[in-house]
Amino acid sequence: MANLYLDHDVQRALAELLRKAGHQVATTRELGLAANPDHLQLLTACRRGSVLITRNRADFIELHGAWLAWTAEWGVVDEHRGIVVIPHHYAGVEWSADYAAGRLEALFEQGFPRQNELYRWEVSGWSRNP
């Protein structure tokens, strides 16, 4: 089962569904970190050894790219456990907590995300961000 860290923009109900599925889940709200900026959310997830789940697509795609570029530039071997960006809705489908939990379970069952990878939902399903 996955060790997950849910950003403040992810539904609380999703945390409960993922816990019921057997995952270890912490949320920014539970840890009192909801007001922290995105770069500290990624750092917190990394320190906890957790996959970060967020709805904040643009910011985390940028942070993921920066993480990869900076660690390579500095010669630092430090990996985040993965970032998964879930939409609020996509192609007319509302991503309720139940719907999101099902899509996340399918991703986890395939062995994703892997370290230092970001996944986002596209028309064809989960897509890894280069």
Side-chain angles (χ1 to χ4, degrees):
M1 293 293 129
N3 179 0
L4 308 171
Y5 180 69
L6 277 58
D7 196 7
H8 69 278
D9 57 357
V10 176
Q11 312 102 305
R12 294 178 190 190
L14 180 56
E16 294 309 314
L17 290 169
L18 293 169
R19 285 184 180 119
K20 287 179 184 175
H23 301 288
Q24 181 180 348
V25 179
T27 72
T28 60
R29 289 182 190 94
E30 293 165 353
L31 299 177
L33 303 175
N36 281 4
D38 292 336
H39 67 279
L40 292 179
Q41 300 299 355
L42 179 56
L43 185 58
T44 298
C46 184
R47 288 178 175 163
R48 296 178 58 83
S50 301
V51 173
L52 179 83
I53 309 292
T54 185
R55 289 183 182 259
N56 190 344
R57 180 180 175 133
D59 289 351
F60 280 98
I61 286 175
E62 184 174 352
L63 281 170
H64 170 69
W67 180 284
L68 296 178
W70 293 337
T71 56
E73 177 67 22
W74 297 331
V76 176
V77 182
D78 198 5
E79 299 179 326
H80 63 70
R81 297 292 181 241
I83 301 169
V84 179
V85 180
I86 59 173
H88 291 282
H89 52 82
Y90 197 89
V93 176
E94 178 68 29
W95 275 61
S96 66
D98 288 330
Y99 190 82
R103 303 296 74 73
L104 288 168
E105 284 299 325
L107 181 68
F108 300 150
E109 287 171 5
Q110 295 174 32
F112 300 108
R114 295 188 179 126
Q115 292 184 343
N116 272 1
E117 293 184 345
L118 180 142
Y119 284 80
R120 65 190 188 287
W121 188 260
E122 298 293 341
V123 173
S124 59
W126 290 110
S127 176
R128 185 175 68 85
N129 206 67

